[in-house]
Amino acid sequence: MDWLTLLVDPVAASAVAGCAALILFSAAWHKFSEPDVFAGALDAYRLLPSAGVMFVAKVLPFIEAAIGIIVLVPATRPMGLVLFAILIAIYAVAIAINLVRGRHQIGCGCGGDVHLLSWGLVARNAVLVCIALAVSGPSVSRPYEWLDAVTLVIGVLALYGSYLTFDELLRQFGRIAQLNNKQSGAAS
């Protein structure tokens, strides 16, 4: 079995779609539950006019949730995965712009504990974009077996668990960098 066949297998595509939906629903939940915190993070990026920040902060979680639903519906999955890739790429570009500007000490607005901007976040998002686009095309047509359901559940959990693990590693690296900066500042 070659990699191209694996990538377009309907179970692999469904596992990626399930993981993408979990990422989107989680992101939307954080934005819905703490709208002022998200609006502050969005404003800190300094990419939108001040008047537009609140509008985007209110609309973006609805967009994320809608794309999450589109990704889960088999008939709209390819379009949903492309929309997911576009949204994640926009996030990556926004982070990269601020990193180039030297603005490393702002939170990403990803939700949860403060997650400082880093090139690791850009790389994480680039990987998500590549994976989503890789399985957004037509899938191999084949009958499903009972084992496919088990594989799908395990695949979604493994992909989402890997995403959360990598995300937490990036968050911890940011905290370590902050501590090192404080210690080197106190030593001078």
Side-chain angles (χ1 to χ4, degrees):
M1 176 179 273
D2 62 77
W3 279 101
L4 186 58
T5 304
L6 177 64
L7 286 176
V8 294
D9 184 87
V11 175
S14 296
V16 170
C19 179
L22 286 173
I23 291 168
L24 289 165
F25 293 147
S26 173
W29 173 257
H30 287 296
K31 291 171 182 72
F32 280 131
S33 64
E34 297 181 309
D36 294 333
V37 172
F38 175 64
L42 190 59
D43 189 42
Y45 275 75
R46 306 247 190 276
L47 295 173
L48 298 170
S50 296
V53 169
M54 283 309 292
F55 174 77
V56 172
K58 288 180 181 179
V59 171
L60 195 54
F62 287 101
I63 292 170
E64 289 174 335
I67 294 172
I69 292 168
I70 292 168
V71 161
L72 289 177
V73 177
T76 59
R77 179 169 296 144
M79 178 183 62
L81 287 168
V82 170
L83 291 172
F84 171 79
I86 290 168
L87 185 64
I88 298 299
I90 290 169
Y91 293 163
V93 168
I95 292 167
I97 288 169
N98 276 279
L99 289 171
V100 169
R101 290 177 177 172
R103 306 187 75 235
H104 300 264
Q105 298 302 320
I106 61 174
C108 71
C110 305
D113 293 338
V114 174
H115 200 313
L116 298 179
L117 299 187
S118 70
W119 289 108
L121 286 172
V122 176
R124 177 201 69 185
N125 287 1
V127 169
L128 290 173
V129 167
C130 290
I131 292 171
L133 291 177
V135 297
S136 66
S139 295
V140 173
S141 179
R142 67 172 183 80
Y144 281 95
E145 300 175 11
W146 69 269
L147 190 56
D148 288 333
V150 174
T151 303
L152 177 60
V153 170
I154 291 171
V156 169
L157 294 175
L159 288 170
Y160 191 61
S162 297
Y163 168 82
L164 292 175
T165 300
F166 188 72
D167 195 57
E168 187 58 31
L169 285 171
L170 289 174
R171 191 180 320 269
Q172 294 305 325
F173 285 140
R175 287 180 179 153
I176 291 169
Q178 275 186 315
L179 287 173
N180 287 339
N181 288 342
K182 285 181 185 178
Q183 288 177 349
S184 64
S188 342

